[in-house]
Amino acid sequence: MRRLSIVLVFAIAAVSLLAFQPAATSDASAVEGVWKTIHVTITNEEGTEVREITQPNLLIFTKSHYASVSVRGAEAREELPDEPTDEQLLAAWRPFNANAGTYSAADGEIATKVIVAKWPNATANQRENSVPFRLDGDNLVRTFTNGAGTTTWAVTYERVE
């Protein structure tokens, strides 16, 4: 009887310890928030190059949706006059990129499905994309590869919120 009581005490203690362990965080809840791109590491046959990102950008993940807006290039866009020319409008619009849709994150991959985008081909095809990611403290790193598998872009985001 005493032996049974000791076993029972240990069993209750073990169950209690397991019950009070923090729940595992799913990949999706871990990426929820607002992120900004801080640098991109490009690797190809020519080597590796790190580009610091200085233009405005945001990547937002909610529970099931995402939105991404960014300005590409190294130079800030010029302010537009009150009545811009078509050329000025194109120069301001061309480096701007935006898309939004749904996503899921599991097993170290983020899969996105575009619903709306600046680039019409992305929405016409309901483009889906799945890329590996990892979290490193307040940094999120997503790794994109070109179709030929010869170039990778490791995009590092910093958590804003």
Side-chain angles (χ1 to χ4, degrees):
M1 180 71 167
R2 180 180 164 121
R3 186 174 182 172
L4 181 60
S5 296
I6 292 172
V7 170
L8 189 55
V9 167
F10 279 113
I12 292 171
V15 169
S16 297
L17 286 173
L18 290 174
F20 290 106
Q21 293 294 317
T25 304
S26 73
D27 285 347
S29 65
V31 300
E32 277 184 48
V34 181
W35 305 85
K36 69 176 181 175
T37 311
I38 54 174
H39 62 82
V40 177
T41 303
I42 303 164
T43 304
N44 56 29
E45 300 91 10
E46 298 169 10
T48 299
E49 173 188 357
V50 177
R51 293 185 187 164
E52 299 299 319
I53 305 300
T54 58
Q55 296 301 314
N57 65 85
L58 284 177
L59 173 62
I60 302 168
F61 287 111
T62 67
K63 288 182 192 279
S64 60
H65 289 79
Y66 79 95
S68 175
V69 292
S70 62
V71 176
R72 296 179 184 206
E75 302 296 321
R77 296 179 299 163
E78 292 186 25
E79 288 190 33
L80 294 172
D82 289 339
E83 295 186 34
T85 66
D86 288 347
E87 185 177 284
Q88 290 170 319
L89 288 170
L90 184 58
W93 185 245
R94 184 172 280 148
F96 178 77
N97 190 36
N99 65 81
T102 60
Y103 85 99
S104 62
D107 300 324
E109 292 214 348
I110 295 176
T112 57
K113 183 175 181 180
V114 178
I115 294 174
V116 61
K118 175 189 167 190
W119 188 48
N121 297 13
T123 55
N125 301 326
Q126 289 291 295
R127 175 178 279 186
E128 293 185 40
N129 193 21
S130 184
V131 298
F133 81 96
R134 66 181 167 79
L135 290 167
D136 183 12
D138 280 339
N139 289 341
L140 165 67
V141 180
R142 297 171 71 195
T143 304
F144 301 86
T145 304
N146 70 349
T150 57
T151 303
T152 61
W153 296 266
V155 182
T156 302
Y157 305 86
E158 179 179 68
R159 187 181 294 275
V160 176
E161 180 179 305

